[in-house]
Amino acid sequence: MKEKQMPSGATISVEGKTFEFCRGKKPEKGILRPDNEQAADLVGMMLDAIPKNLSLLPSEWAEEKRYLPAAYSTKPGRVRYDNSPYLREIVDCFSPACSVSDVALMKPSRIGATQLILETIIGYHIDAFTKSMLYVSADKELTEKNMSSRIDAMLATTGAADKIRPETSKKRGHRTGDTMSRKEFPGGMLVAMGAKNANKMRQFGFPVLLADEVDTFDDNLGGQGNVIELLKNRTDDFARTAKRLWLSTPLIHGKSNIDRLFFLGDQRRYWMRCPHCGVKMRFQFGGPDMTYGLKFEHDARGDLIPSSVYYLCENGCRIEEAQKYDMMLEKNGAEWIPEVPERSHLFRSYQISSLYSNFMPWTEIATKFLACRGDKNRLQVFVNNVLGETWKEEVKVIDNARVMRTGVAPYKPATIPNKLAISHGNGRIVVLTLAVDVNGKEDEPEGWLAVEVKGHCVNGQTYSIAKGEIHGNTERGGSCWAAVRDLIQRQWKADDDFSLTYTVDCAAIDCGFKDYAVFDFLQSYYATGAKNAVAVKGRGTQVKSDRALYVTNTAKGPIWWLDTVFYKNALAGSCGLVWQQPGPQPSGWLNFPDDKNFGGLEDAEWQRALGIQVGAKGYNDEYFKLFGSEVPEIEKDPFDSKKGRIVGWRKKHSRAPNHFWDAMVYNLAAKDIYLNLLLQQFTKAKTGDTQTVMLALAEHIEVHH
């Protein structure tokens, strides 16, 4: 690398004393004469820390020095920003010649940002323009692994590894120099940490902050405040020269940290010229209903036809992917254009999608989109990780009259309506579940249980089989629990030619009220060798918030914790589905019997034998009021008043009958619990594709009956 020497007469200041710069020369008498070896080492460190070339840009440094090894790159070899030209401006914001203090990038998962932005900034500030850095990511272990592998490899290939001090031991076993969380070099250090330790965030000050995956950072970490604000405070000592990088793939709209940071900045998008008509454009997915964007076709099986993939500009020009490379080059007119240019001198924010990426071809993007059909969860992953955009949930109030009008079907309670399910295009019912919601007063033995039996088809459609309120003794060993045992073990006949009989595959019993009675029943039931009943409880905290359900072992017994917001959001989404006939019902469609007077549990002999009464008879108007019993609590989108995020559900009023609404949640969870248990039993895996299990169960029914 060519070096521009400091001009003759340049000076440095240390503790108020000014010394003349004289690299490569012996210091003149009286100007800089170290009195001892320690002082000589200090002066040498200071001289090594002086920038060799103040005009060298980070991208130029990387192209001259960086080599990507095959172990960490799908395109190994010398770094060339022309392969990803949209990243050059972003990384060059970290040149000392650039006055920008904050840079935010809202990105998809495979765009090259880690290698060509984050790693380049680290190498540049170690080798070319020395500054101390704080590197923060969501996971401490992953951050340290990157330090000891990817960053070490980057330093080795650039020749900067020699600048890292070797690991040395100090008192009390503390290590310095070159460790998994700390690298020291002349004039500075790189410290790596996870974003879960608020105390460590208060210990150091840094001129350069590198924050990765900021959408996973807590709003309130250990009661000490927002992680992003805590990290900003670490740069306060360098107010005039500090630089901060915020990187992340976005998650939920209205709660996304990187989305908020993007809107705080000047909001840049990468614009190019159409190679045919010359119109200024940017790549957008568009979608099948848009006149422009990525276009593709699929065959009768739904598989992509690769030759059909192309991009259509707003003027109707067909652009092939082979033309993308030239379009994105700056020399051909490509550039980042800010939507709020008045903020450009302080905070630059960028958003980009995988449509620009050289690591993900358009055919792969189209294939990923086609795989999302009918699956909202997969579609969210596509929007976040491929398009680099936040996921926006539509906020709707449930219309219970519409649910009744569209969901009631011609079948009777207490039977498995397989003939009807097949005619609906859903196939036979595969899984049968029971939900139990415990009600009453804590200090009274008499209470009641809201119970409902549901049948689940392979693609997520459900059929209500029977429901009712079981009134009686809900204490330990009470009559209501004998009724629950009977419901779990009862045989339910199907109406199809197979003459199938079903028993409950999984019963989910709410243990949020009178848990001692619930676990007393479960322990006695388990003693018979049965395993098809579990205790469930709604989760009121954000522990393990990435999972809809999980199990913990307690002194009373195992509890399956449910993300009730997740399940109620799913139910709300099901209530707004539209069935495009003559095709099958969409995933999540709710079906109910057409009998308003009979719920399926009114067995007089059964009631007399147990000394209980069954109430809430029939799938009538009172039953369907459950869909309006709770309303969503919405966190408003600060940037769009028409959008928001459902953060909870609450009763419409104190007397709203929400018991069967809760039972519907438990039934959906019971199916998921059953499939997860089967998955663990046969594959020994804690997580996996439960839909594959459903398909296997459906095939078993067809083959063996």
Side-chain angles (χ1 to χ4, degrees):
M1 178 186 297
K2 295 180 180 179
E3 298 183 4
K4 290 185 179 179
Q5 296 294 333
M6 294 291 288
S8 177
T11 60
I12 56 176
S13 296
V14 181
E15 296 182 352
K17 298 180 180 180
T18 301
F19 303 98
E20 183 178 348
F21 179 77
C22 52
R23 182 185 293 275
K25 302 178 182 179
K26 292 183 179 180
E28 297 180 14
K29 187 175 181 180
I31 297 180
L32 185 59
R33 179 184 295 172
D35 294 330
N36 53 50
E37 184 177 349
Q38 184 177 6
D41 289 342
L42 175 62
V43 171
M45 288 170 53
M46 289 162 39
L47 295 177
D48 285 337
I50 295 174
K52 301 182 179 77
N53 189 343
L54 293 175
S55 66
L56 183 69
L57 296 175
S59 63
E60 294 173 342
W61 173 86
E63 289 182 326
E64 187 165 346
K65 283 212 163 186
R66 288 203 64 189
Y67 180 90
L68 300 179
Y72 302 112
S73 177
T74 57
K75 293 187 176 182
R78 285 286 177 190
V79 165
R80 291 181 62 245
Y81 277 86
D82 279 353
N83 287 331
S84 303
Y86 41 81
L87 298 181
R88 184 186 295 274
E89 178 183 300
I90 301 174
V91 74
D92 284 345
C93 289
F94 284 78
S95 161
C98 180
S99 62
V100 173
S101 57
D102 285 88
V103 177
L105 174 59
M106 184 161 61
K107 64 179 184 66
S109 58
R110 287 164 53 190
I111 202 72
T114 299
Q115 287 183 328
L116 298 183
I117 297 179
L118 188 107
E119 292 177 12
T120 289
I121 292 171
I122 290 174
Y124 176 75
H125 287 308
I126 291 175
D127 186 53
F129 191 76
T130 304
K131 280 192 176 184
S132 290
M133 294 163 281
L134 176 61
Y135 166 37
V136 183
S137 192
D139 184 87
K140 175 178 179 289
E141 288 72 22
L142 181 59
T143 306
E144 292 185 347
K145 182 179 179 181
N146 285 341
M147 285 277 282
S148 61
S149 57
R150 300 177 66 98
I151 292 174
D152 275 353
M154 179 269 295
L155 294 174
T157 57
T158 59
D162 293 341
K163 295 192 173 184
I164 305 300
R165 292 181 188 168
E167 181 182 320
T168 58
S169 297
K170 296 176 68 177
K171 292 181 179 179
R172 300 179 182 178
H174 292 174
R175 295 186 175 275
T176 63
D178 186 7
T179 69
M180 293 179 68
S181 61
R182 185 184 184 99
K183 295 186 183 297
E184 296 182 3
F185 46 88
M189 61 181 173
L190 169 65
V191 174
M193 60 181 290
K196 296 293 184 183
N197 193 321
N199 294 326
K200 285 188 177 181
M201 291 182 190
R202 300 180 183 278
Q203 294 177 2
F204 306 99
F206 292 87
V208 177
L209 168 66
L210 307 173
D212 194 18
E213 293 302 338
V214 299
D215 255 27
T216 62
F217 291 6
D218 290 340
D219 285 336
N220 188 8
L221 180 60
Q224 298 192 46
N226 182 277
V227 170
I228 289 177
E229 294 304 317
L230 290 172
L231 291 174
K232 284 182 179 179
N233 291 342
R234 295 306 90 222
T235 63
D236 284 350
D237 293 340
F238 307 89
R240 292 185 178 181
T241 59
K243 289 185 179 289
R244 294 172 287 267
L245 174 69
W246 312 99
L247 286 178
S248 192
T249 298
L251 296 174
I252 304 297
H253 190 72
K255 194 180 181 182
S256 168
N257 289 325
I258 194 63
D259 193 39
R260 291 193 185 109
L261 289 164
F262 175 75
F263 278 94
L264 286 174
D266 61 358
Q267 302 167 39
R268 297 184 173 222
R269 317 274 187 178
Y270 202 70
W271 291 78
M272 307 153 294
R273 294 195 179 278
C274 173
H276 304 292
C277 67
V279 68
K280 205 77 169 174
M281 57 168 285
R282 63 185 179 93
F283 287 139
Q284 301 177 73
F285 184 70
D289 299 326
M290 302 296 290
T291 57
Y292 60 89
L294 191 66
K295 300 299 175 184
F296 48 88
E297 298 175 4
H298 59 79
D299 59 23
R301 295 182 303 175
D303 295 333
L304 178 71
I305 302 173
S307 60
S308 70
V309 180
Y310 66 96
Y311 191 91
L312 194 67
C313 94
E314 295 181 27
N315 287 339
C317 303
R318 180 182 176 119
I319 302 171
E320 304 295 341
E321 185 162 23
Q323 299 172 287
K324 180 174 72 172
Y325 176 83
D326 288 335
M327 288 175 63
M328 295 192 302
L329 296 177
E330 293 181 11
K331 66 180 182 181
N332 293 329
E335 61 179 331
W336 286 102
I337 298 179
E339 296 177 5
V340 190
E342 58 268 24
R343 300 178 188 165
S344 299
H345 66 292
L346 291 176
F347 198 145
R348 291 187 183 177
S349 58
Y350 302 82
Q351 190 277 331
I352 199 165
S353 77
S354 292
L355 288 166
Y356 292 85
S357 175
N358 284 315
F359 303 98
M360 184 181 293
W362 288 347
T363 51
E364 183 178 348
I365 293 174
T367 300
K368 287 179 177 292
F369 176 75
L370 290 174
C372 298
R373 286 171 301 176
D375 191 328
K376 189 174 69 172
N377 295 328
R378 284 189 177 183
L379 185 59
Q380 178 182 340
V381 173
F382 177 83
V383 170
N384 292 157
N385 292 349
V386 178
L387 301 186
E389 299 174 1
T390 55
W391 174 254
K392 298 179 181 179
E393 290 276 7
E394 288 189 43
V395 178
K396 294 183 178 179
V397 178
I398 298 175
D399 182 352
N400 59 298
R402 181 185 183 278
V403 176
M404 184 176 183
R405 185 172 62 253
T406 61
V408 171
Y411 71 99
K412 299 301 178 183
T415 59
I416 307 296
N418 275 345
K419 284 185 178 180
L420 183 65
I422 292 170
S423 71
H424 286 164
N426 304 331
R428 290 179 173 83
I429 288 170
V430 178
V431 174
L432 197 67
T433 62
L434 168 68
V436 181
D437 184 47
V438 185
N439 301 276
K441 294 183 179 180
E442 189 73 51
D443 55 350
E444 294 183 4
E446 295 299 310
W448 57 280
L449 310 176
V451 299
E452 185 161 23
V453 179
K454 284 252 184 201
H456 305 262
C457 293
V458 68
N459 288 323
Q461 303 87 355
T462 63
Y463 290 82
S464 290
I465 307 301
K467 64 93 179 175
E469 294 176 359
I470 299 178
H471 293 260
N473 190 320
T474 57
E475 289 293 312
R476 289 187 175 96
S479 57
C480 285
W481 299 110
V484 171
R485 183 190 296 263
D486 179 88
L487 287 174
I488 298 174
Q489 296 176 336
R490 175 178 290 203
Q491 292 189 339
W492 305 81
K493 289 187 177 181
D495 64 354
D496 60 1
D497 297 334
F498 282 2
S499 299
L500 289 173
T501 56
Y502 289 73
T503 55
V504 168
D505 294 299
C506 184
I509 306 174
D510 172 32
C511 65
F513 177 66
K514 290 192 175 181
D515 61 344
Y516 53 88
V518 173
F519 283 106
D520 180 78
F521 165 74
L522 289 173
Q523 288 168 8
S524 65
Y525 184 63
Y526 293 156
T528 66
K531 298 180 180 180
N532 59 333
V534 296
V536 297
K537 193 171 184 179
R539 189 177 68 209
T541 65
Q542 292 301 306
V543 177
K544 297 186 179 180
S545 59
D546 60 324
R547 298 163 69 178
L549 53 84
Y550 62 94
V551 64
T552 60
N553 292 314
T554 70
K556 295 179 180 179
I559 297 178
W560 283 86
W561 293 87
L562 314 180
D563 185 342
T564 53
V565 176
F566 170 84
Y567 283 109
K568 289 178 180 180
N569 287 352
L571 281 172
S574 294
C575 295
L577 293 173
V578 176
W579 181 10
Q580 299 289 348
Q581 301 188 50
Q585 292 178 340
S587 177
W589 188 270
L590 307 172
N591 293 281
F592 307 94
D594 61 356
D595 198 318
K596 294 184 178 182
N597 301 309
F598 180 61
L601 301 182
E602 296 85 346
D603 185 330
E605 183 177 339
W606 176 50
Q607 293 182 62
R608 286 196 298 270
L610 297 176
I612 62 175
Q613 294 181 340
V614 174
K617 301 176 181 180
Y619 286 83
N620 50 26
D621 294 351
E622 287 299 313
Y623 172 80
F624 285 98
K625 286 182 179 178
L626 72 92
F627 291 99
S629 62
E630 293 191 1
V631 293
E633 294 180 336
I634 301 168
E635 183 180 86
K636 290 293 184 182
D637 184 344
F639 310 112
D640 186 346
S641 61
K642 295 181 180 180
K643 296 289 184 180
R645 185 178 70 94
I646 298 177
V647 296
W649 289 79
R650 58 177 174 79
K651 293 179 71 172
K652 194 172 184 179
H653 52 79
S654 60
R655 299 180 64 183
N658 70 332
H659 313 294
F660 284 107
W661 174 249
D662 287 340
M664 293 192 76
V665 168
Y666 303 148
N667 265 312
L668 292 182
K671 182 200 75 171
D672 290 342
I673 291 169
Y674 174 63
L675 295 177
N676 273 283
L677 290 174
L678 280 181
L679 188 68
Q680 292 179 31
Q681 178 181 349
F682 293 109
T683 68
K684 308 300 181 183
K686 293 184 178 180
T687 60
D689 186 4
T690 54
Q691 183 62 18
T692 302
V693 180
M694 278 290 276
L695 290 169
L697 291 173
E699 183 178 357
H700 177 81
I701 290 175
E702 296 296 328
V703 171
H704 294 279
H705 295 84

